[in-house]
Amino acid sequence: MKKLVLAEKPSVGRELARVLQCFRRETGFMEGDHYIVTWALGHLVELAEPAAYSDRYRRWSLRDLPMLPPVLQQEVIESSKDQYAIIKGLLERTDLESVIIATDAGREGELVARWILKLAGYQGNAQRLWISSQTEGAIKEGFANLKDAHLYDNLYKAAESRAAADWYVGMNVTRALTCHYDAKLSAGRVQTPTLALMTRREDEIEAFSGLFYWTLKADFGSFSASYYPEEDSIRITDEATAKRLEAELAGAQGVVASLETEEKFEQPPLAYDLTELQRDANNLLDFSAKQTLDVLQSLYEQHKIVTYPRTDSRYITTDIVATLPQRLKSLFGTPFASLALRYVKDGFRVDEERFVQDLQVTDHHAIIPTEQAVDLSRLNAEQRALWELIVVRFLEVLSPDYRYRTTTLKAEVAGSRFKTRLTLPVEQGWRDVARLVGKRSAQTSLSDEEETSPVLLALAKGDPLHIESVKVRRLATVAPSRYTEATLLSAMEHAGRFVDDAKLKKRLSSGLGTPATRADIIEKLLQNHYIQREGKELVPTPKGRELVRLAPQELQSPELTGLWEERLGNIAEGKEDGERFIKDIKENASSLVDQVIKSGESFSPRFPDAKTCPYCKSPMMRVVDDIGQNHYLCQRLSCSYEEMEIKKRVRSNSATLPPQKVVVKAKPVAADGTKKRVVLKKKVDKKEPLASFSLPDDEPAPSYTWETVIEVVRPSKLSFRKETREHKDTGGWKSPVSANHLVDESPIAGGSFADFLKASEERKKRDREKKHR
């Protein structure tokens, strides 16, 4: 009898097969004497589309909302059906003893495996592999300590409840917004509040009116000090006061009011979780959140030199402490060798009060190096840069405190207070790690101050002082900064600070989304054209701002996801029943749909560089694709016209002729539905082949010009109708308030970007088939 091991990805499956000595390769699995190893391709099974419950859901209509099937069904993803069939066949083998679930050790990994087993009808024994790294030692130890799969039943219930809740709310609200406003709009419990964070910041920037303030700094000869009108502020609020002080204090006499010296220390930073690593990689390496996760995943799966990436913990458990020396030894063949060797020989810091926290680790501990020896020649530039960031932080965690001495001088001059500070390091501690290995630390120090002369150490309280000169500077308050991926990840992680209610703040301790999903949320907002990148900044588009304006208020706030995550956590711990949660979610979805339908607003984004749609006269949004070409997209779903600007180099007969603009438009089909295909051929005389070509000496070289060609990417739906209603150009359009409004050729998978893209591809396929008939 054999055991079937179900991994989440082929790369992980192949590594498990190697360790388990499954060397016979078959299509979709590998087999050995005792084990069969197969794999999913991420998710093989998903929740069924609305059309699976009723034919009337095939078309999007307000009259059919809300869609609340009593029980949600699962179905195989079309692109993955072959691999699913292979797994189902393996589960039906007569020599199968049991199944070992080896998908990612977390809530979503549990869902991947359980849905496959559920749809395949498997009722046999099951065990769970739970590991945090892909090294051979970790895999062998994990298989030696397999757990009963039933111990993770509550985790599966929480995952399934999360998926069902997202279906009920996402499907219903997306269809309601799309049908009611006749525009491609999608909403969700994480996507919408995340977008709202950025749109509110943009509103703050636009409403910001800067104020001037002044600062005053006095030169005391051997040092300089700043004037403090208040205890903790150097700002002077009006110019007259600044000018008066400048005149009064120049050449004035004063004394040292106080001189205090303190010894302080800074503890090392904690190790990385995924969000913290994505933040630092964005700041230091210009990596996007998605790029960081992808590179990190390759370091974990392919090279096996870092631990599990999708973690929300910055701590390790007690059992990991014994492995730290071996993890240091894995660095011996790298630029970190000298410091790692010193720590192995002389010992290192193990902060059991801060870093070793069993209760702070949920599914997985912090991201740290594994015991696998590192071969830098196998890493590309991105992998090496990210790995070095992780190793520097790992070594900093194991280092002593940074200790420093700070001397603060306060001076009194003609009744005015001045202050300056001198900071001198006593022991560099963790701050020395980056310097010793020639790298840059991502952690800034709290003690970094403006440099001041060490002459402060020679002064004493009561010593006379003389101001030699005074300098006044005029400054202005700064508008709030737009979000970058780094700051947005921080805002999503600490979403509780945007909520006033104390209880909800506590519920939002885990933030918006999870470390594993935040990168995908940002990418989805970009793909849907709700936000765009401008350098490192993420800027909401007019379409994104309009969506937030129209979305139900409850969906815009982080409070909703805070409530959900608290209850999902309770389900995972067995403290709450999932059925009660789903009942409440259905009521919530109905309420949200009702709010959208009753809205009297219209979807009217104001695009600064818009064109007018030639069919429906509404504004078209400009989008720049990956190769820099301009696309113009009509925002009315009932029209959906899209065109693209293409620059072509053409030969010019005369250099004096101005470039011509050529417009290519989709022509309507003849009434009989027939199309003609014209092929032009150039006749070549076979008797006199053209062997070579050159310009006569007296003929000038040809000149070229660039012409802009407009190419139709997607014809308007209105162009295929016999009668087209006239639309007035009002800068927007009124919502179709009729509850019976239907949207033709609508996507049927919940309104996400992938769904819209899928529907678009299907339309293009139908268009191609028509052309070849």
Side-chain angles (χ1 to χ4, degrees), residues 160-380:
E160 192 168 45
S161 297
R162 192 278 311 156
D166 281 338
W167 193 98
Y168 284 121
V169 171
M171 286 284 188
N172 282 290
V173 178
T174 293
R175 286 198 175 197
L177 288 169
T178 299
C179 293
H180 189 65
Y181 295 111
D182 189 17
K184 292 181 180 179
L185 299 174
S186 61
R189 65 170 179 109
V190 177
Q191 170 191 303
T192 305
T194 300
L195 179 60
L197 290 177
M198 286 181 278
T199 59
R200 287 176 189 138
R201 176 63 59 86
E202 199 69 14
D203 291 341
E204 291 172 4
I205 293 172
E206 291 180 356
F208 176 79
S209 56
L211 297 174
F212 289 117
Y213 67 93
W214 291 260
T215 63
L216 186 148
K217 181 170 284 191
D219 180 5
F220 288 91
S222 56
F223 67 93
S224 61
S226 295
Y227 168 70
Y228 279 74
E230 299 177 8
E231 181 63 28
D232 297 315
S233 175
I234 62 172
R235 294 187 178 186
I236 304 170
T237 56
D238 64 283
E239 186 176 14
T241 301
K243 294 296 184 183
R244 177 179 59 79
L245 289 170
E246 181 181 25
E248 292 177 356
L249 294 174
Q253 303 294 325
V255 296
V256 176
S258 66
L259 194 69
E260 298 179 355
T261 298
E262 294 180 274
E263 286 205 6
K264 299 181 179 180
F265 67 92
E266 283 183 26
Q267 295 177 311
L270 291 169
Y272 280 123
D273 62 5
L274 176 57
T275 301
E276 183 75 7
L277 181 59
Q278 287 172 320
R279 187 161 46 234
D280 283 352
N282 182 250
N283 286 329
L284 298 180
L285 307 177
D286 283 337
F287 284 8
S288 69
K290 184 68 165 60
Q291 182 182 6
T292 298
L293 180 55
D294 290 343
V295 174
L296 188 60
Q297 198 74 27
S298 68
L299 293 174
Y300 167 69
E301 291 182 2
Q302 179 183 349
H303 301 286
K304 307 172 187 61
I305 55 177
V306 301
T307 55
Y308 185 76
R310 300 168 185 263
T311 177
D312 60 354
S313 177
R314 302 183 66 183
Y315 308 89
I316 63 172
T317 51
T318 306
D319 59 307
I320 300 297
V321 174
T323 70
L324 294 179
Q326 190 59 40
R327 296 174 193 268
L328 287 167
K329 290 178 182 178
S330 70
L331 307 176
F332 280 2
T334 73
F336 302 96
S338 59
L339 189 57
L341 179 61
R342 192 178 83 189
Y343 280 5
V344 171
K345 289 177 61 179
D346 302 335
F348 49 87
R349 172 190 184 137
V350 178
D351 193 338
E352 295 185 355
E353 294 183 359
R354 274 183 82 238
F355 183 45
V356 185
Q357 292 287 323
D358 292 322
L359 297 179
Q360 296 288 347
V361 178
T362 52
D363 293 340
H364 297 278
H365 57 69
I367 301 170
I368 58 176
T370 66
E371 302 95 324
Q372 180 81 26
V374 180
D375 181 1
L376 294 178
S377 64
R378 297 181 59 213
L379 305 183
N380 61 33

Side-chain angles (χ1 to χ4, degrees), residues 12-171:
V12 176
R14 287 190 289 269
E15 182 60 22
L16 295 177
R18 183 188 66 80
V19 176
L20 297 175
Q21 297 184 340
C22 300
F23 298 122
R24 194 170 85 242
R25 293 178 176 269
E26 302 289 348
T27 302
F29 67 96
M30 300 180 72
E31 188 167 356
D33 294 336
H34 305 288
Y35 295 95
I36 307 165
V37 179
T38 188
W39 45 82
L41 305 171
H43 280 275
L44 292 185
V45 177
E46 63 184 357
L47 289 175
E49 301 290 347
Y53 305 99
S54 173
D55 285 340
R56 72 177 187 270
Y57 294 153
R58 293 186 182 279
R59 298 183 72 187
W60 289 27
S61 172
L62 289 176
R63 67 186 176 191
D64 294 325
L65 299 180
M67 303 175 294
L68 302 173
V71 178
L72 294 180
Q73 304 170 15
Q74 290 81 35
E75 63 183 11
V76 180
I77 299 173
E78 181 65 25
S79 60
S80 306
K81 62 182 182 180
D82 292 341
Q83 183 62 21
Y84 170 79
I86 291 170
I87 296 175
K88 190 173 188 299
L90 294 172
L91 290 169
E92 293 171 350
R93 282 177 47 162
T94 56
D95 62 342
L96 189 66
E97 175 186 343
S98 65
V99 169
I100 298 174
I101 298 174
T103 48
D104 284 355
R107 190 169 74 185
E108 292 308 306
E110 198 68 25
L111 190 66
V112 169
R114 295 296 189 101
W115 272 359
I116 293 173
L117 298 178
K118 178 181 178 180
L119 201 62
Y122 179 76
Q123 299 293 331
N125 295 326
Q127 294 174 293
R128 191 47 159 115
L129 174 72
W130 197 276
I131 56 178
S132 292
S133 64
Q134 291 290 321
T135 63
E136 183 172 336
I139 292 171
K140 288 181 176 179
E141 182 180 353
F143 272 91
N145 296 278
L146 293 172
K147 307 294 184 182
D148 191 308
H150 290 300
L151 296 175
Y152 300 90
D153 283 349
N154 287 331
L155 185 66
Y156 163 57
K157 290 177 183 177
E160 192 168 45
S161 297
R162 192 278 311 156
D166 281 338
W167 193 98
Y168 284 121
V169 171
M171 286 284 188

Side-chain angles (χ1 to χ4, degrees), residues 631-648:
H631 290 240
Y632 289 89
L633 289 71
C634 177
Q635 294 303 293
R636 290 195 59 167
L637 190 62
S638 57
C639 178
S640 298
Y641 174 71
E642 179 182 349
E643 65 183 28
M644 174 175 61
E645 289 182 350
I646 301 177
K647 290 188 178 295
K648 290 185 177 181

Side-chain angles (χ1 to χ4, degrees), residues 603-607 610-620 634 636 725-734:
F603 179 71
S604 302
R606 304 289 179 175
F607 301 112
K611 282 187 177 182
T612 299
C613 176
Y615 293 93
C616 68
K617 308 305 179 184
S618 59
M620 295 197 296
C634 177
R636 290 195 59 167
R725 295 176 59 188
E726 293 294 327
H727 299 272
K728 295 182 180 180
D729 185 6
T730 60
W733 54 88
K734 293 298 180 183

Side-chain angles (χ1 to χ4, degrees), residues 556-612:
Q556 297 180 32
S557 172
E559 296 177 7
L560 179 64
T561 192
L563 291 169
W564 281 27
E565 287 300 331
E566 181 189 40
R567 298 185 68 179
L568 290 171
N570 289 338
I571 293 171
E573 295 172 8
K575 299 177 181 178
E576 183 173 348
D577 179 35
E579 292 183 4
R580 176 61 189 171
F581 173 72
I582 294 302
K583 182 177 182 295
D584 293 342
I585 290 298
K586 289 180 180 180
E587 294 175 358
N588 188 216
S590 297
S591 173
L592 293 171
V593 168
D594 191 51
Q595 291 178 46
V596 173
I597 293 175
K598 290 181 179 179
S599 170
E601 299 287 342
S602 62
F603 179 71
S604 302
R606 304 289 179 175
F607 301 112
D609 48 4
K611 282 187 177 182
T612 299

